[in-house]
Amino acid sequence: MHVQTIKPCFDAYHCVVVAPLARSVFCVVLQFRYQLLCLAALEAPLQLPLGEQGLYGQDCVFIANDWHAALVPVYLAAKYRAHGVYTKARSVMAIHNLRHQGVFPPGTFPSLGLPDGWYYAMEYQYPPHLRQGAYEEEGRSVNTLKAGISIADRLVTVSPGYAEEIRTWLGGWGMEGMIDARGPVLNGIVNGIDDEDWNPAVDKHLPVKYDLSSFKEGKAACKKALQQELGLPVNADIPLIAFIGRLDYQKGADIVLQAAPWMMSQGVQLVCLGTGTADLEVRPSTAHSTQHS
């Protein structure tokens, strides 16, 4: 049994801005891009010598990451198993952030190349207060992640806590009922780190390496180097707080940044590293300017 993980590369569509008239074209291109990724992932084990023994073959577990790869379970069921291919293969839908669902107009369904009867596996109808798009669509959409969640053999999330959260209105983003119904095949797996790559005793990116025996001295030296690099007052007694993550309201970055002026007034240094929502991206520099004006 082989395991194949399908995940997107985001760089090609980083910070893309489209005019209103071009938005529909971009929507189709984006959908086709990930449709092609999913079909290629399903064809690869059958066509390419990916292992030492040649072709992977049909005994595979496909791990689809987020909406970008969510068509893998759908195509697996509709286009392959239906014709006697991949009958023993299984799919796992990995959910990192349920907010991003890969939503497209209902008129894009024919371009997916699925049998007509599979439309209802893809369709999601938003409640009236969340509806956008054409009036005649009545909030209907092709929702890629919804389809992957409903069709995949297993569901996993980035933590046991998040697995519980998405089963409620607090984190379900409208899909909590469907996800709760799939509770028996839902598992939360705690995120881990590579303890070799992130080992401060051998990390080539640290100005000073340290281990358990030199923890205090090493951390202090690294803090000093960071203060110097960022142009902050070098002071071992000043608390240095770092926020590393997506600058998004969902991540609580707005709460951190709202409290930033008060924290700095207490003699604390705050470092933020990340990108995200435009108005949150400018707040750290605004707070810095205000503090030094």
Side-chain angles (χ1 to χ4, degrees):
M1 180 68 73
H2 295 89
V3 177
Q4 183 174 357
T5 301
I6 304 99
K7 62 181 180 180
C9 175
F10 299 99
D11 294 343
Y13 284 91
H14 180 64
C15 295
V16 174
V17 178
V18 291
L21 292 178
R23 197 165 289 140
S24 59
V25 176
F26 175 72
C27 175
V28 173
V29 171
L30 186 64
Q31 187 184 46
F32 175 72
R33 180 173 186 247
Y34 293 116
Q35 174 191 1
L36 190 61
L37 169 70
C38 295
L39 288 171
L42 287 161
E43 282 295 312
L46 304 176
Q47 306 294 338
L48 301 179
L50 301 175
E52 296 179 357
Q53 299 178 352
L55 298 177
Y56 262 34
Q58 299 186 34
D59 292 340
C60 295
V61 175
F62 294 95
I63 302 176
N65 284 276
D66 297 316
W67 77 262
H68 315 81
L71 283 174
V72 167
V74 181
Y75 284 136
L76 178 63
K79 297 179 73 71
Y80 289 87
R81 286 179 184 164
H83 298 282
V85 183
Y86 284 135
T87 56
K88 295 182 180 180
R90 296 294 181 264
S91 61
V92 179
M93 187 74 238
I95 304 169
H96 296 84
N97 190 334
L98 193 61
R99 179 182 180 184
H100 305 289
Q101 301 174 5
V103 178
F104 300 94
T108 63
F109 174 78
S111 66
L112 297 176
L114 291 166
D116 292 343
W118 280 82
Y119 172 76
Y120 294 102
M122 301 289 303
E123 184 192 62
Y124 181 79
Q125 186 174 20
Y126 285 88
H129 68 285
L130 293 177
R131 292 178 183 177
Q132 298 181 14
Y135 177 78
E136 61 272 14
E137 292 174 356
E138 295 182 322
R140 292 183 175 86
S141 65
V142 165
N143 189 311
T144 314
L145 184 58
K146 176 259 183 180
I149 291 172
S150 62
I151 301 299
D153 296 296
R154 303 287 302 191
L155 307 175
V156 297
T157 68
V158 293
S159 72
Y162 192 54
E164 292 299 319
E165 182 181 331
I166 63 175
R167 298 174 70 172
T168 72
W169 66 270
L170 292 171
W173 290 93
M175 295 194 197
E176 56 271 15
M178 181 183 69
I179 295 174
D180 188 53
R182 300 223 64 198
V185 298
L186 171 65
N187 295 97
I189 301 176
V190 177
N191 268 338
I193 63 172
D194 188 322
D195 57 8
E196 294 184 4
D197 191 42
W198 291 90
N199 184 355
V202 296
D203 192 339
K204 63 182 180 180
H205 299 293
L206 291 179
V208 176
K209 299 178 178 63
Y210 58 89
D211 55 23
L212 286 175
S213 64
S214 57
F215 178 80
K216 290 183 64 175
E217 298 82 1
K219 289 282 285 184
C222 289
K223 175 182 176 180
K224 179 180 179 181
L226 181 61
Q227 289 174 324
Q228 292 174 333
E229 181 179 347
L230 298 180
L232 298 171
V234 177
N235 188 331
D237 297 324
I238 294 179
L240 176 60
I241 301 174
F243 174 91
I244 303 175
R246 182 161 177 78
L247 297 177
D248 191 279
Y249 290 93
Q250 189 182 14
K251 301 296 184 181
D254 57 315
I255 299 174
V256 175
L257 297 176
Q258 185 177 5
W262 178 86
M263 285 191 290
M264 289 186 289
S265 72
Q266 305 300 306
V268 171
Q269 295 173 342
L270 176 64
V271 176
C272 293
L273 175 63
T275 60
T277 306
D279 65 316
L280 293 180
E281 286 184 350
V282 301
R283 285 199 199 177
S285 56
T286 303
H288 181 272
S289 300
T290 303
Q291 182 69 14
H292 290 82
S293 61

